[in-house]
mmCIF file of all heavy atoms in Angstrom:
data_model
loop_
_atom_site.group_PDB
_atom_site.id
_atom_site.type_symbol
_atom_site.label_atom_id
_atom_site.label_comp_id
_atom_site.label_asym_id
_atom_site.label_seq_id
_atom_site.Cartn_x
_atom_site.Cartn_y
_atom_site.Cartn_z
ATOM 1 N N ALA A 262 -18.266 -33.260 -16.369
ATOM 2 C CA ALA A 262 -17.827 -34.694 -16.060
ATOM 3 C C ALA A 262 -17.195 -34.770 -14.746
ATOM 4 O O ALA A 262 -17.448 -35.772 -14.015
ATOM 5 C CB ALA A 262 -16.807 -35.069 -17.240
ATOM 6 N N THR A 263 -16.469 -33.719 -14.306
ATOM 7 C CA THR A 263 -15.884 -33.729 -12.913
ATOM 8 C C THR A 263 -16.997 -33.859 -11.892
ATOM 9 O O THR A 263 -16.736 -34.517 -10.924
ATOM 10 C CB THR A 263 -15.077 -32.481 -12.686
ATOM 11 O OG1 THR A 263 -14.786 -31.855 -13.962
ATOM 12 C CG2 THR A 263 -13.879 -32.691 -11.956
ATOM 13 N N PHE A 264 -18.108 -33.118 -12.136
ATOM 14 C CA PHE A 264 -19.230 -33.257 -11.194
ATOM 15 C C PHE A 264 -19.685 -34.678 -11.117
ATOM 16 O O PHE A 264 -19.888 -35.290 -10.112
ATOM 17 C CB PHE A 264 -20.309 -32.254 -11.604
ATOM 18 C CG PHE A 264 -21.549 -32.349 -10.744
ATOM 19 C CD1 PHE A 264 -21.627 -31.693 -9.574
ATOM 20 C CD2 PHE A 264 -22.648 -33.084 -11.197
ATOM 21 C CE1 PHE A 264 -22.820 -31.718 -8.784
ATOM 22 C CE2 PHE A 264 -23.834 -33.196 -10.406
ATOM 23 C CZ PHE A 264 -23.885 -32.521 -9.228
ATOM 24 N N ALA A 265 -20.034 -35.174 -12.358
ATOM 25 C CA ALA A 265 -20.671 -36.533 -12.493
ATOM 26 C C ALA A 265 -19.740 -37.610 -11.962
ATOM 27 O O ALA A 265 -20.176 -38.558 -11.239
ATOM 28 C CB ALA A 265 -21.048 -36.821 -13.910
ATOM 29 N N TRP A 266 -18.489 -37.462 -12.190
ATOM 30 C CA TRP A 266 -17.510 -38.471 -11.849
ATOM 31 C C TRP A 266 -17.054 -38.486 -10.429
ATOM 32 O O TRP A 266 -16.191 -39.318 -10.033
ATOM 33 C CB TRP A 266 -16.375 -38.509 -12.847
ATOM 34 C CG TRP A 266 -16.717 -38.764 -14.150
ATOM 35 C CD1 TRP A 266 -17.972 -39.218 -14.607
ATOM 36 C CD2 TRP A 266 -15.900 -38.783 -15.396
ATOM 37 N NE1 TRP A 266 -17.997 -39.409 -16.037
ATOM 38 C CE2 TRP A 266 -16.774 -39.079 -16.459
ATOM 39 C CE3 TRP A 266 -14.585 -38.432 -15.721
ATOM 40 C CZ2 TRP A 266 -16.258 -39.091 -17.839
ATOM 41 C CZ3 TRP A 266 -14.168 -38.477 -16.887
ATOM 42 C CH2 TRP A 266 -14.931 -38.803 -18.038
ATOM 43 N N THR A 267 -17.470 -37.470 -9.681
ATOM 44 C CA THR A 267 -17.106 -37.381 -8.196
ATOM 45 C C THR A 267 -18.382 -37.645 -7.424
ATOM 46 O O THR A 267 -18.365 -37.319 -6.165
ATOM 47 C CB THR A 267 -16.381 -36.133 -7.889
ATOM 48 O OG1 THR A 267 -17.166 -35.018 -8.325
ATOM 49 C CG2 THR A 267 -15.022 -36.042 -8.387
ATOM 50 N N GLN A 268 -19.468 -38.020 -8.037
ATOM 51 C CA GLN A 268 -20.643 -38.532 -7.272
ATOM 52 C C GLN A 268 -20.362 -39.995 -6.821
ATOM 53 O O GLN A 268 -19.302 -40.547 -7.021
ATOM 54 C CB GLN A 268 -21.902 -38.475 -8.054
ATOM 55 C CG GLN A 268 -22.252 -37.004 -8.633
ATOM 56 C CD GLN A 268 -22.414 -36.011 -7.415
ATOM 57 O OE1 GLN A 268 -23.195 -36.319 -6.543
ATOM 58 N NE2 GLN A 268 -21.756 -34.814 -7.513
ATOM 59 N N GLY A 269 -21.423 -40.621 -6.274
ATOM 60 C CA GLY A 269 -21.220 -41.927 -5.749
ATOM 61 C C GLY A 269 -21.233 -43.086 -6.688
ATOM 62 O O GLY A 269 -21.279 -44.274 -6.219
ATOM 63 N N ILE A 270 -21.225 -42.842 -7.953
ATOM 64 C CA ILE A 270 -21.246 -44.008 -8.921
ATOM 65 C C ILE A 270 -19.935 -43.995 -9.726
ATOM 66 O O ILE A 270 -19.398 -42.904 -9.925
ATOM 67 C CB ILE A 270 -22.521 -44.070 -9.847
ATOM 68 C CG1 ILE A 270 -22.446 -42.839 -10.757
ATOM 69 C CG2 ILE A 270 -23.757 -44.165 -9.134
ATOM 70 C CD1 ILE A 270 -23.346 -43.051 -12.040
ATOM 71 N N THR A 271 -19.587 -45.224 -10.157
ATOM 72 C CA THR A 271 -18.302 -45.234 -10.972
ATOM 73 C C THR A 271 -18.459 -44.662 -12.334
ATOM 74 O O THR A 271 -19.513 -44.614 -12.851
ATOM 75 C CB THR A 271 -17.802 -46.618 -11.083
ATOM 76 O OG1 THR A 271 -18.825 -47.407 -11.695
ATOM 77 C CG2 THR A 271 -17.624 -47.269 -9.700
ATOM 78 N N ARG A 272 -17.403 -44.265 -12.913
ATOM 79 C CA ARG A 272 -17.424 -43.787 -14.334
ATOM 80 C C ARG A 272 -17.972 -44.865 -15.287
ATOM 81 O O ARG A 272 -18.658 -44.538 -16.133
ATOM 82 C CB ARG A 272 -16.032 -43.397 -14.779
ATOM 83 C CG ARG A 272 -15.622 -42.071 -14.233
ATOM 84 C CD ARG A 272 -14.180 -41.727 -14.733
ATOM 85 N NE ARG A 272 -13.170 -41.586 -13.661
ATOM 86 C CZ ARG A 272 -11.937 -41.548 -13.755
ATOM 87 N NH1 ARG A 272 -11.367 -41.698 -14.994
ATOM 88 N NH2 ARG A 272 -11.128 -41.395 -12.814
ATOM 89 N N SER A 273 -17.588 -46.104 -15.056
ATOM 90 C CA SER A 273 -18.048 -47.193 -15.980
ATOM 91 C C SER A 273 -19.541 -47.195 -15.927
ATOM 92 O O SER A 273 -20.240 -47.256 -16.952
ATOM 93 C CB SER A 273 -17.631 -48.504 -15.391
ATOM 94 O OG SER A 273 -16.236 -48.545 -15.184
ATOM 95 N N ARG A 274 -20.186 -47.150 -14.783
ATOM 96 C CA ARG A 274 -21.539 -47.247 -14.636
ATOM 97 C C ARG A 274 -22.218 -46.035 -15.330
ATOM 98 O O ARG A 274 -23.214 -46.212 -16.001
ATOM 99 C CB ARG A 274 -22.120 -47.423 -13.249
ATOM 100 C CG ARG A 274 -22.856 -48.615 -12.995
ATOM 101 C CD ARG A 274 -23.640 -48.576 -11.662
ATOM 102 N NE ARG A 274 -24.962 -47.946 -11.838
ATOM 103 C CZ ARG A 274 -25.706 -47.546 -10.796
ATOM 104 N NH1 ARG A 274 -25.146 -47.620 -9.568
ATOM 105 N NH2 ARG A 274 -26.862 -47.099 -11.030
ATOM 106 N N TRP A 275 -21.610 -44.943 -15.101
ATOM 107 C CA TRP A 275 -22.094 -43.617 -15.658
ATOM 108 C C TRP A 275 -22.139 -43.783 -17.219
ATOM 109 O O TRP A 275 -23.224 -43.483 -17.821
ATOM 110 C CB TRP A 275 -21.197 -42.501 -15.207
ATOM 111 C CG TRP A 275 -21.472 -41.186 -15.826
ATOM 112 C CD1 TRP A 275 -22.381 -40.172 -15.347
ATOM 113 C CD2 TRP A 275 -20.894 -40.635 -17.009
ATOM 114 N NE1 TRP A 275 -22.335 -39.114 -16.149
ATOM 115 C CE2 TRP A 275 -21.430 -39.310 -17.155
ATOM 116 C CE3 TRP A 275 -19.971 -41.038 -17.912
ATOM 117 C CZ2 TRP A 275 -21.115 -38.478 -18.253
ATOM 118 C CZ3 TRP A 275 -19.594 -40.187 -18.906
ATOM 119 C CH2 TRP A 275 -20.174 -38.961 -19.072
ATOM 120 N N LEU A 276 -21.039 -44.261 -17.773
ATOM 121 C CA LEU A 276 -21.013 -44.325 -19.257
ATOM 122 C C LEU A 276 -21.971 -45.316 -19.767
ATOM 123 O O LEU A 276 -22.681 -45.153 -20.706
ATOM 124 C CB LEU A 276 -19.569 -44.705 -19.658
ATOM 125 C CG LEU A 276 -19.458 -44.800 -21.190
ATOM 126 C CD1 LEU A 276 -19.366 -43.440 -21.842
ATOM 127 C CD2 LEU A 276 -18.260 -45.666 -21.560
ATOM 128 N N LEU A 277 -21.900 -46.475 -19.152
ATOM 129 C CA LEU A 277 -22.756 -47.626 -19.712
ATOM 130 C C LEU A 277 -24.202 -47.241 -19.619
ATOM 131 O O LEU A 277 -24.967 -47.584 -20.465
ATOM 132 C CB LEU A 277 -22.447 -48.943 -18.962
ATOM 133 C CG LEU A 277 -21.037 -49.491 -19.292
ATOM 134 C CD1 LEU A 277 -20.661 -50.779 -18.499
ATOM 135 C CD2 LEU A 277 -20.721 -49.518 -20.657
ATOM 136 N N ALA A 278 -24.683 -46.601 -18.472
ATOM 137 C CA ALA A 278 -26.012 -46.222 -18.472
ATOM 138 C C ALA A 278 -26.438 -45.289 -19.492
ATOM 139 O O ALA A 278 -27.409 -45.323 -20.208
ATOM 140 C CB ALA A 278 -26.388 -45.653 -17.069
ATOM 141 N N LYS A 279 -25.567 -44.136 -19.638
ATOM 142 C CA LYS A 279 -25.882 -43.115 -20.651
ATOM 143 C C LYS A 279 -25.763 -43.807 -22.049
ATOM 144 O O LYS A 279 -26.736 -43.541 -22.870
ATOM 145 C CB LYS A 279 -24.771 -42.064 -20.521
ATOM 146 C CG LYS A 279 -25.253 -40.883 -19.653
ATOM 147 C CD LYS A 279 -24.212 -39.765 -19.768
ATOM 148 C CE LYS A 279 -24.796 -38.535 -20.669
ATOM 149 N NZ LYS A 279 -23.954 -37.373 -20.623
ATOM 150 N N ALA A 280 -24.756 -44.460 -22.336
ATOM 151 C CA ALA A 280 -24.589 -45.039 -23.630
ATOM 152 C C ALA A 280 -25.722 -45.994 -24.030
ATOM 153 O O ALA A 280 -26.296 -46.080 -25.038
ATOM 154 C CB ALA A 280 -23.186 -45.663 -23.848
ATOM 155 N N GLY A 281 -26.062 -46.889 -22.951
ATOM 156 C CA GLY A 281 -27.017 -47.840 -23.249
ATOM 157 C C GLY A 281 -28.348 -47.216 -23.564
ATOM 158 O O GLY A 281 -28.956 -47.723 -24.522
ATOM 159 N N TRP A 282 -28.859 -46.255 -22.947
ATOM 160 C CA TRP A 282 -30.113 -45.596 -23.174
ATOM 161 C C TRP A 282 -30.090 -44.915 -24.502
ATOM 162 O O TRP A 282 -31.057 -44.970 -25.337
ATOM 163 C CB TRP A 282 -30.493 -44.649 -21.998
ATOM 164 C CG TRP A 282 -31.074 -45.273 -20.835
ATOM 165 C CD1 TRP A 282 -30.485 -45.269 -19.618
ATOM 166 C CD2 TRP A 282 -32.274 -45.956 -20.756
ATOM 167 N NE1 TRP A 282 -31.346 -46.014 -18.781
ATOM 168 C CE2 TRP A 282 -32.428 -46.443 -19.408
ATOM 169 C CE3 TRP A 282 -33.369 -46.239 -21.644
ATOM 170 C CZ2 TRP A 282 -33.490 -47.101 -18.953
ATOM 171 C CZ3 TRP A 282 -34.405 -46.934 -21.209
ATOM 172 C CH2 TRP A 282 -34.475 -47.424 -19.821
ATOM 173 N N LEU A 283 -28.969 -44.317 -24.809
ATOM 174 C CA LEU A 283 -28.880 -43.564 -26.095
ATOM 175 C C LEU A 283 -28.875 -44.528 -27.275
ATOM 176 O O LEU A 283 -29.417 -44.267 -28.310
ATOM 177 C CB LEU A 283 -27.633 -42.671 -26.127
ATOM 178 C CG LEU A 283 -27.865 -41.337 -25.544
ATOM 179 C CD1 LEU A 283 -26.851 -40.263 -26.101
ATOM 180 C CD2 LEU A 283 -29.272 -40.739 -25.923
ATOM 181 N N LEU A 284 -28.089 -45.685 -27.080
ATOM 182 C CA LEU A 284 -28.089 -46.661 -28.144
ATOM 183 C C LEU A 284 -29.446 -47.236 -28.431
ATOM 184 O O LEU A 284 -29.831 -47.456 -29.484
ATOM 185 C CB LEU A 284 -27.067 -47.681 -27.949
ATOM 186 C CG LEU A 284 -25.650 -47.195 -27.903
ATOM 187 C CD1 LEU A 284 -24.666 -48.222 -27.452
ATOM 188 C CD2 LEU A 284 -25.188 -46.750 -29.299
ATOM 189 N N LEU A 285 -30.195 -47.412 -27.332
ATOM 190 C CA LEU A 285 -31.545 -47.975 -27.431
ATOM 191 C C LEU A 285 -32.419 -46.936 -28.215
ATOM 192 O O LEU A 285 -33.160 -47.270 -29.149
ATOM 193 C CB LEU A 285 -32.151 -48.175 -26.045
ATOM 194 C CG LEU A 285 -33.533 -48.880 -26.057
ATOM 195 C CD1 LEU A 285 -33.447 -50.258 -26.581
ATOM 196 C CD2 LEU A 285 -34.121 -48.869 -24.645
ATOM 197 N N ALA A 286 -32.285 -45.665 -27.853
ATOM 198 C CA ALA A 286 -33.035 -44.638 -28.525
ATOM 199 C C ALA A 286 -32.661 -44.561 -30.002
ATOM 200 O O ALA A 286 -33.536 -44.340 -30.880
ATOM 201 C CB ALA A 286 -32.836 -43.260 -27.844
ATOM 202 N N ALA A 287 -31.382 -44.748 -30.278
ATOM 203 C CA ALA A 287 -30.865 -44.777 -31.648
ATOM 204 C C ALA A 287 -31.553 -45.833 -32.473
ATOM 205 O O ALA A 287 -31.938 -45.740 -33.549
ATOM 206 C CB ALA A 287 -29.391 -44.762 -31.727
ATOM 207 N N ALA A 288 -31.615 -47.070 -31.780
ATOM 208 C CA ALA A 288 -32.214 -48.200 -32.409
ATOM 209 C C ALA A 288 -33.697 -47.956 -32.771
ATOM 210 O O ALA A 288 -34.242 -48.270 -33.825
ATOM 211 C CB ALA A 288 -32.160 -49.530 -31.615
ATOM 212 N N VAL A 289 -34.458 -47.364 -31.779
ATOM 213 C CA VAL A 289 -35.847 -47.048 -32.023
ATOM 214 C C VAL A 289 -36.005 -46.015 -33.125
ATOM 215 O O VAL A 289 -36.797 -46.139 -34.021
ATOM 216 C CB VAL A 289 -36.501 -46.450 -30.676
ATOM 217 C CG1 VAL A 289 -37.844 -45.879 -30.949
ATOM 218 C CG2 VAL A 289 -36.503 -47.537 -29.637
ATOM 219 N N TRP A 290 -35.108 -44.953 -33.142
ATOM 220 C CA TRP A 290 -35.108 -44.035 -34.227
ATOM 221 C C TRP A 290 -34.885 -44.665 -35.635
ATOM 222 O O TRP A 290 -35.634 -44.418 -36.529
ATOM 223 C CB TRP A 290 -33.980 -42.986 -33.832
ATOM 224 C CG TRP A 290 -33.584 -42.022 -35.042
ATOM 225 C CD1 TRP A 290 -32.677 -42.328 -36.059
ATOM 226 C CD2 TRP A 290 -34.123 -40.797 -35.337
ATOM 227 N NE1 TRP A 290 -32.573 -41.272 -36.893
ATOM 228 C CE2 TRP A 290 -33.452 -40.352 -36.529
ATOM 229 C CE3 TRP A 290 -35.082 -39.944 -34.803
ATOM 230 C CZ2 TRP A 290 -33.681 -39.132 -37.141
ATOM 231 C CZ3 TRP A 290 -35.366 -38.721 -35.347
ATOM 232 C CH2 TRP A 290 -34.706 -38.358 -36.465
ATOM 233 N N GLY A 291 -33.814 -45.489 -35.643
ATOM 234 C CA GLY A 291 -33.529 -46.091 -36.955
ATOM 235 C C GLY A 291 -34.710 -47.037 -37.407
ATOM 236 O O GLY A 291 -35.133 -47.046 -38.551
ATOM 237 N N GLY A 292 -35.373 -47.748 -36.399
ATOM 238 C CA GLY A 292 -36.455 -48.622 -36.744
ATOM 239 C C GLY A 292 -37.678 -47.908 -37.119
ATOM 240 O O GLY A 292 -38.439 -48.286 -38.068
ATOM 241 N N ALA A 293 -37.936 -46.686 -36.498
ATOM 242 C CA ALA A 293 -39.197 -45.978 -36.861
ATOM 243 C C ALA A 293 -39.004 -45.387 -38.302
ATOM 244 O O ALA A 293 -39.925 -45.493 -39.051
ATOM 245 C CB ALA A 293 -39.321 -44.843 -35.844
ATOM 246 N N VAL A 294 -37.834 -44.786 -38.499
ATOM 247 C CA VAL A 294 -37.570 -44.191 -39.898
ATOM 248 C C VAL A 294 -37.728 -45.370 -40.892
ATOM 249 O O VAL A 294 -38.394 -45.176 -41.957
ATOM 250 C CB VAL A 294 -36.148 -43.555 -39.941
ATOM 251 C CG1 VAL A 294 -35.855 -43.201 -41.416
ATOM 252 C CG2 VAL A 294 -36.149 -42.390 -39.067
ATOM 253 N N SER A 295 -37.085 -46.464 -40.720
ATOM 254 C CA SER A 295 -37.222 -47.654 -41.564
ATOM 255 C C SER A 295 -38.657 -48.105 -41.738
ATOM 256 O O SER A 295 -39.038 -48.310 -42.965
ATOM 257 C CB SER A 295 -36.348 -48.761 -41.063
ATOM 258 O OG SER A 295 -36.570 -49.870 -41.832
ATOM 259 N N ALA A 296 -39.451 -48.182 -40.673
ATOM 260 C CA ALA A 296 -40.800 -48.652 -40.837
ATOM 261 C C ALA A 296 -41.592 -47.692 -41.691
ATOM 262 O O ALA A 296 -42.382 -48.160 -42.534
ATOM 263 C CB ALA A 296 -41.355 -48.703 -39.427
ATOM 264 N N LEU A 297 -41.397 -46.379 -41.488
ATOM 265 C CA LEU A 297 -42.109 -45.395 -42.284
ATOM 266 C C LEU A 297 -41.785 -45.557 -43.744
ATOM 267 O O LEU A 297 -42.615 -45.549 -44.658
ATOM 268 C CB LEU A 297 -41.852 -44.039 -41.834
ATOM 269 C CG LEU A 297 -42.465 -43.689 -40.492
ATOM 270 C CD1 LEU A 297 -41.903 -42.312 -39.930
ATOM 271 C CD2 LEU A 297 -43.979 -43.319 -40.772
ATOM 272 N N VAL A 298 -40.497 -45.705 -44.049
ATOM 273 C CA VAL A 298 -40.013 -45.778 -45.445
ATOM 274 C C VAL A 298 -40.518 -47.080 -46.059
ATOM 275 O O VAL A 298 -40.984 -47.100 -47.267
ATOM 276 C CB VAL A 298 -38.487 -45.661 -45.532
ATOM 277 C CG1 VAL A 298 -37.953 -45.866 -47.001
ATOM 278 C CG2 VAL A 298 -38.032 -44.296 -45.104
ATOM 279 N N THR A 299 -40.517 -48.172 -45.306
ATOM 280 C CA THR A 299 -40.893 -49.414 -45.809
ATOM 281 C C THR A 299 -42.422 -49.400 -46.207
ATOM 282 O O THR A 299 -42.783 -49.904 -47.238
ATOM 283 C CB THR A 299 -40.678 -50.551 -44.736
ATOM 284 O OG1 THR A 299 -39.308 -50.510 -44.353
ATOM 285 C CG2 THR A 299 -40.996 -51.957 -45.323
ATOM 286 N N PHE A 300 -43.244 -48.732 -45.321
ATOM 287 C CA PHE A 300 -44.610 -48.632 -45.605
ATOM 288 C C PHE A 300 -44.770 -47.758 -46.860
ATOM 289 O O PHE A 300 -45.529 -48.088 -47.872
ATOM 290 C CB PHE A 300 -45.345 -47.961 -44.402
ATOM 291 C CG PHE A 300 -46.528 -47.217 -44.798
ATOM 292 C CD1 PHE A 300 -47.808 -47.978 -45.039
ATOM 293 C CD2 PHE A 300 -46.593 -45.832 -44.920
ATOM 294 C CE1 PHE A 300 -48.921 -47.248 -45.447
ATOM 295 C CE2 PHE A 300 -47.754 -45.177 -45.421
ATOM 296 C CZ PHE A 300 -48.922 -45.826 -45.634
ATOM 297 N N TRP A 301 -44.128 -46.694 -46.872
ATOM 298 C CA TRP A 301 -44.268 -45.604 -47.976
ATOM 299 C C TRP A 301 -43.905 -46.244 -49.302
ATOM 300 O O TRP A 301 -44.498 -46.011 -50.290
ATOM 301 C CB TRP A 301 -43.354 -44.534 -47.613
ATOM 302 C CG TRP A 301 -43.418 -43.344 -48.612
ATOM 303 C CD1 TRP A 301 -44.277 -42.366 -48.657
ATOM 304 C CD2 TRP A 301 -42.364 -43.052 -49.496
ATOM 305 N NE1 TRP A 301 -43.985 -41.455 -49.614
ATOM 306 C CE2 TRP A 301 -42.755 -41.840 -50.193
ATOM 307 C CE3 TRP A 301 -41.112 -43.674 -49.935
ATOM 308 C CZ2 TRP A 301 -41.996 -41.292 -51.200
ATOM 309 C CZ3 TRP A 301 -40.428 -43.059 -50.907
ATOM 310 C CH2 TRP A 301 -40.809 -41.973 -51.493
ATOM 311 N N SER A 302 -42.809 -47.087 -49.298
ATOM 312 C CA SER A 302 -42.356 -47.649 -50.503
ATOM 313 C C SER A 302 -43.103 -48.869 -51.053
ATOM 314 O O SER A 302 -42.787 -49.470 -52.095
ATOM 315 C CB SER A 302 -40.923 -48.064 -50.369
ATOM 316 O OG SER A 302 -40.135 -47.042 -49.783
ATOM 317 N N GLY A 303 -44.152 -49.342 -50.282
ATOM 318 C CA GLY A 303 -44.920 -50.543 -50.683
ATOM 319 C C GLY A 303 -45.183 -50.696 -52.221
ATOM 320 O O GLY A 303 -44.714 -51.614 -52.816
ATOM 321 N N PRO A 304 -45.852 -49.701 -52.807
ATOM 322 C CA PRO A 304 -46.159 -49.826 -54.268
ATOM 323 C C PRO A 304 -44.885 -49.891 -55.137
ATOM 324 O O PRO A 304 -44.870 -50.623 -56.048
ATOM 325 C CB PRO A 304 -47.042 -48.594 -54.487
ATOM 326 C CG PRO A 304 -47.460 -48.123 -53.134
ATOM 327 C CD PRO A 304 -46.473 -48.513 -52.213
ATOM 328 N N VAL A 305 -43.980 -48.999 -54.831
ATOM 329 C CA VAL A 305 -42.690 -48.980 -55.548
ATOM 330 C C VAL A 305 -42.030 -50.269 -55.466
ATOM 331 O O VAL A 305 -41.486 -50.813 -56.508
ATOM 332 C CB VAL A 305 -41.854 -47.749 -55.092
ATOM 333 C CG1 VAL A 305 -40.703 -47.622 -56.064
ATOM 334 C CG2 VAL A 305 -42.637 -46.540 -55.020
ATOM 335 N N ASN A 306 -41.874 -50.910 -54.256
ATOM 336 C CA ASN A 306 -41.334 -52.127 -54.066
ATOM 337 C C ASN A 306 -41.914 -53.188 -54.989
ATOM 338 O O ASN A 306 -41.309 -54.008 -55.670
ATOM 339 C CB ASN A 306 -41.424 -52.642 -52.699
ATOM 340 C CG ASN A 306 -40.629 -51.916 -51.656
ATOM 341 O OD1 ASN A 306 -39.730 -51.021 -52.104
ATOM 342 N ND2 ASN A 306 -40.777 -52.010 -50.382
ATOM 343 N N ALA A 307 -43.324 -53.150 -55.049
ATOM 344 C CA ALA A 307 -44.022 -54.137 -55.759
ATOM 345 C C ALA A 307 -43.787 -53.960 -57.279
ATOM 346 O O ALA A 307 -43.688 -54.990 -58.043
ATOM 347 C CB ALA A 307 -45.574 -53.973 -55.548
ATOM 348 N N MET A 308 -43.660 -52.754 -57.714
ATOM 349 C CA MET A 308 -43.472 -52.438 -59.118
ATOM 350 C C MET A 308 -42.052 -52.773 -59.628
ATOM 351 O O MET A 308 -41.804 -53.441 -60.596
ATOM 352 C CB MET A 308 -43.824 -50.995 -59.425
ATOM 353 C CG MET A 308 -45.160 -50.809 -59.914
ATOM 354 S SD MET A 308 -45.380 -49.072 -60.320
ATOM 355 C CE MET A 308 -45.353 -48.345 -58.726
ATOM 356 N N ARG A 309 -41.094 -52.208 -58.924
ATOM 357 C CA ARG A 309 -39.717 -52.258 -59.327
ATOM 358 C C ARG A 309 -39.021 -53.610 -58.962
ATOM 359 O O ARG A 309 -38.336 -54.169 -59.740
ATOM 360 C CB ARG A 309 -38.983 -51.132 -58.744
ATOM 361 C CG ARG A 309 -39.189 -49.747 -59.394
ATOM 362 C CD ARG A 309 -37.809 -49.428 -60.007
ATOM 363 N NE ARG A 309 -37.710 -47.986 -60.283
ATOM 364 C CZ ARG A 309 -36.779 -47.336 -59.581
ATOM 365 N NH1 ARG A 309 -36.026 -47.847 -58.615
ATOM 366 N NH2 ARG A 309 -36.717 -46.026 -59.825
ATOM 367 N N GLY A 310 -39.215 -53.941 -57.724
ATOM 368 C CA GLY A 310 -38.669 -55.133 -57.230
ATOM 369 C C GLY A 310 -37.166 -55.158 -57.199
ATOM 370 O O GLY A 310 -36.513 -56.254 -57.223
ATOM 371 N N ASP A 311 -36.412 -53.946 -57.175
ATOM 372 C CA ASP A 311 -35.051 -54.013 -57.071
ATOM 373 C C ASP A 311 -34.688 -54.060 -55.511
ATOM 374 O O ASP A 311 -34.172 -53.011 -54.978
ATOM 375 C CB ASP A 311 -34.352 -52.640 -57.597
ATOM 376 C CG ASP A 311 -34.839 -52.449 -58.987
ATOM 377 O OD1 ASP A 311 -35.534 -53.301 -59.584
ATOM 378 O OD2 ASP A 311 -34.600 -51.302 -59.485
ATOM 379 N N GLN A 312 -35.006 -55.132 -54.890
ATOM 380 C CA GLN A 312 -34.863 -55.078 -53.445
ATOM 381 C C GLN A 312 -33.411 -54.989 -52.937
ATOM 382 O O GLN A 312 -33.168 -54.582 -51.817
ATOM 383 C CB GLN A 312 -35.542 -56.278 -52.791
ATOM 384 C CG GLN A 312 -35.034 -57.650 -53.306
ATOM 385 C CD GLN A 312 -35.676 -58.820 -52.611
ATOM 386 O OE1 GLN A 312 -36.348 -58.583 -51.749
ATOM 387 N NE2 GLN A 312 -35.414 -59.985 -53.113
ATOM 388 N N PHE A 313 -32.416 -55.309 -53.801
ATOM 389 C CA PHE A 313 -31.020 -55.157 -53.437
ATOM 390 C C PHE A 313 -30.397 -53.782 -53.826
ATOM 391 O O PHE A 313 -29.246 -53.572 -53.420
ATOM 392 C CB PHE A 313 -30.158 -56.317 -54.110
ATOM 393 C CG PHE A 313 -30.422 -57.554 -53.416
ATOM 394 C CD1 PHE A 313 -31.279 -58.543 -53.999
ATOM 395 C CD2 PHE A 313 -29.900 -57.938 -52.130
ATOM 396 C CE1 PHE A 313 -31.485 -59.797 -53.461
ATOM 397 C CE2 PHE A 313 -30.158 -59.169 -51.567
ATOM 398 C CZ PHE A 313 -30.963 -60.101 -52.174
ATOM 399 N N ASP A 314 -31.188 -52.998 -54.536
ATOM 400 C CA ASP A 314 -30.726 -51.644 -54.857
ATOM 401 C C ASP A 314 -30.503 -50.858 -53.586
ATOM 402 O O ASP A 314 -31.301 -50.997 -52.649
ATOM 403 C CB ASP A 314 -31.720 -51.039 -55.729
ATOM 404 C CG ASP A 314 -31.351 -49.683 -56.237
ATOM 405 O OD1 ASP A 314 -31.473 -48.682 -55.439
ATOM 406 O OD2 ASP A 314 -30.855 -49.514 -57.364
ATOM 407 N N GLY A 315 -29.491 -50.067 -53.570
ATOM 408 C CA GLY A 315 -29.124 -49.298 -52.420
ATOM 409 C C GLY A 315 -30.302 -48.455 -51.870
ATOM 410 O O GLY A 315 -30.611 -48.347 -50.737
#
Side-chain angles (χ1 to χ4, degrees):
Chain A
T263 339
F264 175 83
W266 296 353
T267 50
Q268 301 298 312
I270 64 160
T271 60
R272 279 181 242 169
S273 308
R274 239 194 91 195
W275 175 87
L276 177 77
L277 294 181
K279 266 188 105 171
W282 281 113
L283 272 200
L284 292 172
L285 184 69
V289 170
W290 165 272
V294 170
S295 170
L297 285 168
V298 174
T299 307
F300 156 78
W301 181 80
S302 312
V305 188
N306 289 349
M308 265 184 287
R309 279 247 207 110
D311 309 348
Q312 58 180 350
F313 287 101
D314 180 282

